[in-house]
């Protein structure tokens, strides 16, 4: 089986992606290749940040690699937190980030939000980009315990439950990351 590096330290994401690629690729993450560096995400878009990470691995480890950059975009907050999703509360963690979004959304009736993922694949020295989006709405309070990040407040369109009330398998059928990954997999098979 071929190996591919997924440029992340995040175990939740590694696990989700391993499931999506099971039987097709052996997915190694940054820890697996001995990379302990926190790769700087200094771009201003998801595309730039994903590219910074995949190119870092190629340049420093000479390995084919893909990297994703994802985040939550809330319509009434001018698409915030966006690329700042992981550090929205200034590094206080997932719960503080989620609470800040809820606080900023207090009294706002437009609850439309979406998760977006961009994947940058560096293969044979060339970059290929893949995008996934899932639309939904924000709850007024958290519900559910699975997943991570903003999952407890995000209800995907067409479902009466949050991402955090879904199993990983169910979320993997529809999520932004799964959609971008499906495009990546289709590309890798072609
Ligand atoms: P990353 O670029 O995929 O690491 O995502 C950046 C941040 O966006 C995460 O730290 C989370 O706060 C948020 N995020 C991305 N994907 C998800 C998801 O599937 N569920 C909940 N939050 C997410």
């Amino acid at each position: 089986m071929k190996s591919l590096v997924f440029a992340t330290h995040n175990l939740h994401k590694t696990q989700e992606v391993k499931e999506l690629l099971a039987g097709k690729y052996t997915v190694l993450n940054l820890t697996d290749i001995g990379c302990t560096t926190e790769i700087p995400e200094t771009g201003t878009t998801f595309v730039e940040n994903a590219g910074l990470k995949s190119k870092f691995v190629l340049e420093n480890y000479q390995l084919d690699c893909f990297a994703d950059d994802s985040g939550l975009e809330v319509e009434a907050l001018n698409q915030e937190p966006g690329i700042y999703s992981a550090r929205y509360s200034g590094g206080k963690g997932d719960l503080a980030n989620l609470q800040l979004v809820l606080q900023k959304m207090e009294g706002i009736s437009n609850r439309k939000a979406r998760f977006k993922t961009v994947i940058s694949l560096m293969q044979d020295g060339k970059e290929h980009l893949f995008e996934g989006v899932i639309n939904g709405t924000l709850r007024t309070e958290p519900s559910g315990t699975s997943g991570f990040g903003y999952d407890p407040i995000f209800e995907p369109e067409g479902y009466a439950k949050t991402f955090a009330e879904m199993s990983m398998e169910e979320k993997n059928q529809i999520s932004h990351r799964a959609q971008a990954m499906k495009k990546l997999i289709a590309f890798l098979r072609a």
Side-chain angles (χ1 to χ4, degrees):
M1 216 169 0
K2 284 190 194 169
S3 303
L4 260 185
V5 178
F6 182 15
T8 183
H9 291 291
N10 183 314
L11 289 179
H12 275 290
K13 283 167 52 178
T14 307
Q15 195 50 41
E16 284 187 8
V17 166
K18 274 189 179 175
E19 267 189 41
L20 289 165
L21 283 173
K24 296 173 190 92
Y25 282 87
T26 303
V27 178
L28 305 171
N29 66 18
L30 292 176
T31 314
D32 296 327
I33 62 166
C35 174
T36 51
T37 314
E38 205 50 64
I39 305 169
E41 294 185 29
T42 50
T44 55
T45 61
F46 292 123
V47 170
E48 265 186 80
N49 280 338
L52 282 171
K53 291 184 271 187
S54 61
K55 285 163 199 157
F56 180 94
V57 170
L58 179 64
E59 279 158 24
N60 291 278
Y61 295 85
Q62 290 75 49
L63 294 169
D64 282 352
C65 169
F66 63 93
D68 76 337
D69 198 42
S70 313
L72 179 71
E73 294 185 331
V74 180
E75 193 174 274
L77 300 179
N78 288 321
Q79 315 305 341
E80 276 184 25
I83 59 163
Y84 304 107
S85 291
R87 44 198 153 122
Y88 200 41
S89 60
K92 293 185 196 146
D94 278 3
L95 187 59
N97 291 339
L98 171 162
Q99 280 165 345
L100 183 56
V101 168
L102 286 184
Q103 188 191 317
K104 291 197 178 193
M105 287 298 290
E106 259 169 34
I108 296 178
S109 56
N110 174 9
R111 312 291 300 180
K112 282 189 199 162
R114 63 185 178 196
F115 275 116
K116 192 185 270 185
T117 293
V118 172
I119 293 176
S120 160
L121 167 71
M122 286 304 296
Q123 194 179 42
D124 302 327
K126 272 196 209 145
E127 183 177 36
H128 305 273
L129 295 168
F130 309 90
E131 188 181 283
V133 173
I134 180 144
N135 293 308
T137 50
L138 292 184
R139 291 276 184 88
T140 51
E141 49 188 62
S143 188
T145 52
S146 59
F148 69 102
Y150 300 89
D151 280 349
I153 57 168
F154 183 80
E155 184 178 300
E157 214 168 74
Y159 293 79
K161 53 187 170 183
T162 67
F163 263 174
E165 293 172 311
M166 294 182 171
S167 64
M168 192 188 282
E169 292 73 27
E170 198 175 0
K171 182 183 167 189
N172 268 345
Q173 302 284 321
I174 58 170
S175 81
H176 48 310
R177 193 164 18 263
Q179 290 182 43
M181 283 301 303
K182 277 177 198 156
K183 292 180 187 173
L184 170 73
I185 293 162
F187 175 85
L188 288 169
R189 279 198 183 133

